[in-house]
């Protein structure tokens, strides 16, 4: 980095708050202990800190020789249960009075959406295993049936807590003038307006369906809201049951707003209050809401597919008709109707049917969350520019002269970093080729437009699109088709492996020959999630990384597996896992001098978990920042007392992956797309990239320090798999995400000020 750049040493800021001779982790532990001791004599006792459920499986004890048998299942926590525990932490954001009111409602919606996906993906997959007669136990010693049983029990507790939390939030919302009311609860004047609105805008979209010998039980689409209506004829005789689908979607909102007020009425309530229009001359005996969740696991073996695109399109059609894995019904439903629904849908009434007090489909509360009430939302956040990219200087010139750049999203702008990189590449006459991977993107992301522009400008453009990105398959098919129409070479990755790595390669004719510019990130090339997810990205012209990016992208476009040499990229599935295990073993050889820090979304891989246990036994200090699922049990004497595990939950979704190894004073730091999960390490094309610039390594280290020391957003994992939330030591203490917002803004301001002060003059280097 040249002296035009003011590269802040974030480690210095962290060290300033850390007593001399004490590690950041030591300070964090001390802070936790300090928090526990605040309720001293004559002090007001500290309120109980929020916590989440743990795993009741007994922790094994050492054998007669004092050694822990790492093959015992009890040392490993379950993936599904620890993921559900993460959702208790997310729900706590809705329960936390420090969270703005409409943001609290947002977290209710997020948990609801997460649970829908959990049943579609995880429970659906477990049910398939049960149906196939699979009895193989997981590394934590559970059968598929046992995992379903324990997961369902935990879900019921989570749903109960979510429902009571929504009731509390709704009571507070009413005091602000925002409320959700039923059709019966609003005034007669409001009902008249709703009736007219229903007749004009909703009624033509509704198709009631009877169930009798001439009308078999209708198909129920995934996650749809439905009314089960019991009717009687005018003479009092029973009529067939009817199903009415609530027409939410395609421009029809779930919640209808009363004009002039912030009062919202659920569409299903309006529909239930106007059934006389659908069934004239009939008496409505009862109305019950129900909702189904279908299995999303409909994948076909790629090896047997002649056309991958056609296969994915077939899978999407099959998913529409996939088996139902969950039935949610409104509390108080007639037991006979409940049993009938379960039987028609092929479900076990005892385990697969969930009676719900209050609202079904709470993910739709996102409609209410969007109300423009600034005082009820987080303070607006506007990502700032990266300091090195302020001005109109070519991004290629900046990278070549300043060195590699590290991007922190959402604190630094995605549009003025990654999208700018693609935009300039698409128009720069010296750029010869652009190659990249695409896992998820969005309509507002400019990446597709820039690639099309590049192709029109005569550049070679190749894109590897992952068609099997769960729930984005249809969108990715559309993106792939648009790219192909523009003459772009589109491939779908390697047969049998998902392409999950995030990489862009630009080939440019510089003054000294062809130069390769690469971006390797932890997050998708997706403008919307880049504002909501915390991710890292490295933009570099390092020649070795460039050459290795060429090798990786050639592998993706051909599937050929000749010997490919990598040193600064660690791609999965062949190289990454063995490399991680080797680096952990290298720290084991250093014993108490060893240091490992890993930040990942999930730690599920058995081999990595076992090796981390062994490292802890050797005295290696291990700090893990794991967002959700985590198999490891920290703090077990003689096994994992050198391991700390924290989870950060806040305004943004933690999504970055960092792997840091002390290496005896010659630290190695990697960032990339891979989590410590078997699927990522064994069944996907992933990559990590080495961050070698000492200033950037310090930047990443300080980013981790902020999270480890956080008193606002951090939860400490206990040996039983439960989590306890930390408490601030002073009023209005910022969490690590708020600190990063301030850091990015102040860094930009400081560097911009220094650049303005610098006297103008001839360039120190002739950059062409």
């Amino acid at each position: 980095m040249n002296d035009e750049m003011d590269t802040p040493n974030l480690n210095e800021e962290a060290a300033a708050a850390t007593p001399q001779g004490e590690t950041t982790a030591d300070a964090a532990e001390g802070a936790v202990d300090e928090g526990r001791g605040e309720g001293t004599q004559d002090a007001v006792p500290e309120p109980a800190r929020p916590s989440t459920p743990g795993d009741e499986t007994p922790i094994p004890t050492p054998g007669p020789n004092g050694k822990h048998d790492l093959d015992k299942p009890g040392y490993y926590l379950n993936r599904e249960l620890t993921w559900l525990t993460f959702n208790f932490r997310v729900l706590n954001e809705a329960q936390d009075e420090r969270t703005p009111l409409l943001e609290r409602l947002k977290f209710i919606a997020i948990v609801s959406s997460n649970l829908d996906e959990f049943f579609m993906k995880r429970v659906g997959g477990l049910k398939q295993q049960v149906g196939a007669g699979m009895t193989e136990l997981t590394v934590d010693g559970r059968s598929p049936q046992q995992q379903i049983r324990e997961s369902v029990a935990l879900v019921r507790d989570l749903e109960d807590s979510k429902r009571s939390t929504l009731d509390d939030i709704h009571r507070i919302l009413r005091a602000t003038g925002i409320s959700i009311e039923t059709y019966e609860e609003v005034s007669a004047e409001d009902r008249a307006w709703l009736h007219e609105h229903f007749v004009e805008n909703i009624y033509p979209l509704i198709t009631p369906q009877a169930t009798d010998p001439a009308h078999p039980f209708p198909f129920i689409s995934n996650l749809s809201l439905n009314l089960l209506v019991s009717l009687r004829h005018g003479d009092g005789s029973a009529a067939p049951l009817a199903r009415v689908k609530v027409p939410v979607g395609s421009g029809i909102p779930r919640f209808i707003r009363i004009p002039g007020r912030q009062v919202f009425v659920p569409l299903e309530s309006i529909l239930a209050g106007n059934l006389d229009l659908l069934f004239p001359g009939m008496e409505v005996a009862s109305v019950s809401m129900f909702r189904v969740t279908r299995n999303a696991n409909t994948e076909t073996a790629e090896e047997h597919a002649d056309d991958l695109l056609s296969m994915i399109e077939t899978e999407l059609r099959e998913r529409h008709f996939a088996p139902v894995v969950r039935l949610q019904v409104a509390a108080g439903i007639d037991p006979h109707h409940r049993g009938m629904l379960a039987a028609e849908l092929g479900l076990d009434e005892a385990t697969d049917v969930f009676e719900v007090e209050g609202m079904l489909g709470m993910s739709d509360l996102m409609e209410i969350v969007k109300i423009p009430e600034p005082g009820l939302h987080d303070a607006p956040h506007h990502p700032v520019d990266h300091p090195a990219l302020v001005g109109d200087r070519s991004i290629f010139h900046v990278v070549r002269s300043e060195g590699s750049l590290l991007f922190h999203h959402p604190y630094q702008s995605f549009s003025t970093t990654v999208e700018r990189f693609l935009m300039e590449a698409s128009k720069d006459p010296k750029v010869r080729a652009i190659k990249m991977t695409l896992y998820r993107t969005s309509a507002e992301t400019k990446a597709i437009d820039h690639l099309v522009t590049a192709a029109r400008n005569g550049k070679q453009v190749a894109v590897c699109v992952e068609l099997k990105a769960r729930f984005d398959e249809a969108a990715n098919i559309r993106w792939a088709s648009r790219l192909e129409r523009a003459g772009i070479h589109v491939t779908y990755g390697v047969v049998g492996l998902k392409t999950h790595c995030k990489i862009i390669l630009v080939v440019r004719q510089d003054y000294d020959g062809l130069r390769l510019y690469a971006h390797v990130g932890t997050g998708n090339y997706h403008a919307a999630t880049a504002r909501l997810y915390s991710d890292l990205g490295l933009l570099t012209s390092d020649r070795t990384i460039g050459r290795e990016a060429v090798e990786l992208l050639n592998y993706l476009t051909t599937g050929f597996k000749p010997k490919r040499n990598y040193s600064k990229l660690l791609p999965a599935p062949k190289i990454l896992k063995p490399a991680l295990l080797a680096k952990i073993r290298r720290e084991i050889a250093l014993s108490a001098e060893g240091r490992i820090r890993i930040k990942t979304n999930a730690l599920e891989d058995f081999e990595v978990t076992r090796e981390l246990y062994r490292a802890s036994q050797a005295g290696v200090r291990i700090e893990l920042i794991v967002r959700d699922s985590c198999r490891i049990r920290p703090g077990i004497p003689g096994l994992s007392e050198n391991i700390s595990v924290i989870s950060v939950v806040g305004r943004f979704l933690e999504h970055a992956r960092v792997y840091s190894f002390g290496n005896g004073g010659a630290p190695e730091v990697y960032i990339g797309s891979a989590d410590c999960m078997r699927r990522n390490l064994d069944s996907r094309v992933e990559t990590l990239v080495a961050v070698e610039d000492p200033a950037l390594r310090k930047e990443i280290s300080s980013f981790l320090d902020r999270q480890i020391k956080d008193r606002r957003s951090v939860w400490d994992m206990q040996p039983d798999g439960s989590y306890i939330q930390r408490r601030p030591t002073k009023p209005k203490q910022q969490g690590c995400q708020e600190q990063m917002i301030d850091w990015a803004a102040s860094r930009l301001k400081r560097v911009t000020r220094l650049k303005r002060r610098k006297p103008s003059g001839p360039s120190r280097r002739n950059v062409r």
Side-chain angles (χ1 to χ4, degrees), residues 341-418:
L341 286 172
E344 291 287 355
L345 297 169
L347 299 175
D348 182 331
E349 187 177 355
T351 60
D352 300 330
V353 180
F354 293 74
E355 280 206 23
V356 178
E357 291 277 357
M359 185 184 300
L360 297 178
M362 291 186 193
S363 58
D364 291 331
L365 288 168
M366 278 296 187
E367 293 180 16
I368 311 295
V369 172
K370 294 176 182 177
I371 294 173
E373 291 286 346
L376 303 180
H377 285 286
D378 288 320
H381 170 240
H382 304 289
V384 300
D385 294 339
H386 189 284
L389 299 179
V390 174
D392 56 4
R393 188 181 176 200
S394 164
I395 197 169
F396 300 105
H397 295 175
V398 172
V399 173
R400 198 168 64 227
S401 63
E402 308 286 357
S404 300
L405 303 180
L406 183 70
F407 302 145
H408 296 261
H409 307 301
Y411 315 108
Q412 292 171 331
S413 169
F414 179 78
S415 64
T416 62
T417 54
V418 178

Side-chain angles (χ1 to χ4, degrees), residues 18 21-33 583-584 586-599 611-625 632 634-635 639-646 659-664 704-705 708-709 716 726:
T18 305
E22 184 174 297
T23 67
T24 304
D26 291 329
E29 285 190 358
V32 174
D33 291 335
K583 293 178 188 301
I584 294 172
R586 185 184 61 196
E587 299 301 314
I588 291 174
L590 296 170
S591 59
E593 299 300 316
R595 182 78 181 275
I596 297 172
R597 304 173 96 185
I598 295 175
K599 176 175 171 59
E611 214 59 36
L612 289 172
Y613 274 142
R614 289 172 175 161
S616 172
Q617 289 177 311
V620 178
R621 187 63 181 273
I622 302 168
E623 294 170 313
L624 305 177
I625 305 172
I632 211 160
L639 177 65
S640 58
E641 69 267 38
N642 292 313
I643 300 175
S644 66
V645 181
I646 65 170
Y659 297 81
S660 175
F661 303 92
N663 191 27
L704 299 179
D705 288 344
I708 291 167
K709 294 174 61 180
D716 290 297
R726 293 181 186 172

Side-chain angles (χ1 to χ4, degrees), residues 5 143 146 254 276 287 402 490 732:
M5 285 293 297
S143 67
Q146 185 179 356
R254 169 83 179 273
D276 57 315
V287 181
E402 308 286 357
V490 177
K732 297 184 179 179

Side-chain angles (χ1 to χ4, degrees), residues 266-336:
L267 183 55
E268 64 270 20
S269 176
I270 301 171
L271 178 53
N274 288 276
L275 288 174
D276 57 315
L277 298 177
L278 296 174
F279 306 105
M282 306 285 284
E283 177 188 348
V284 176
S286 67
V287 181
S288 298
M289 279 278 297
F290 72 95
R291 182 174 185 260
V292 304
T293 309
R294 292 185 177 271
N295 191 352
N297 295 285
T298 55
E299 293 185 1
T300 307
E302 294 179 28
E303 292 81 356
H304 306 300
D306 295 325
D307 183 337
L308 183 59
L309 181 61
S310 176
M311 185 197 81
I312 299 298
E313 290 173 332
T314 299
E315 285 182 7
L316 290 175
R317 289 192 295 270
E318 291 177 353
R319 184 181 296 171
H320 185 69
F321 298 99
V324 175
V325 295
R326 175 180 63 164
L327 169 64
Q328 295 170 291
V329 297
I333 187 174
D334 184 299
H336 296 292

Side-chain angles (χ1 to χ4, degrees), residues 241 718 767:
L241 291 171
Q718 309 302 306
V767 179

Side-chain angles (χ1 to χ4, degrees), residues 309 438-441 465-469 472-481 492:
L309 181 61
L438 206 58
Y439 189 74
R440 299 186 197 277
T441 190
V465 179
E466 178 48 69
L467 293 183
K468 298 179 72 175
D472 273 335
E473 298 96 336
N476 284 3
I477 288 172
R478 292 194 298 271
W479 298 131
S481 298
Y492 305 128

Side-chain angles (χ1 to χ4, degrees), residues 41 81 97 138 149 178 211 288 357 373 398 491 560 619 632:
Q41 188 176 4
L81 301 181
E97 294 180 357
T138 57
R149 184 170 61 252
I178 301 172
T211 59
S288 298
E357 291 277 357
E373 291 286 346
V398 172
T491 59
F560 296 157
I632 211 160

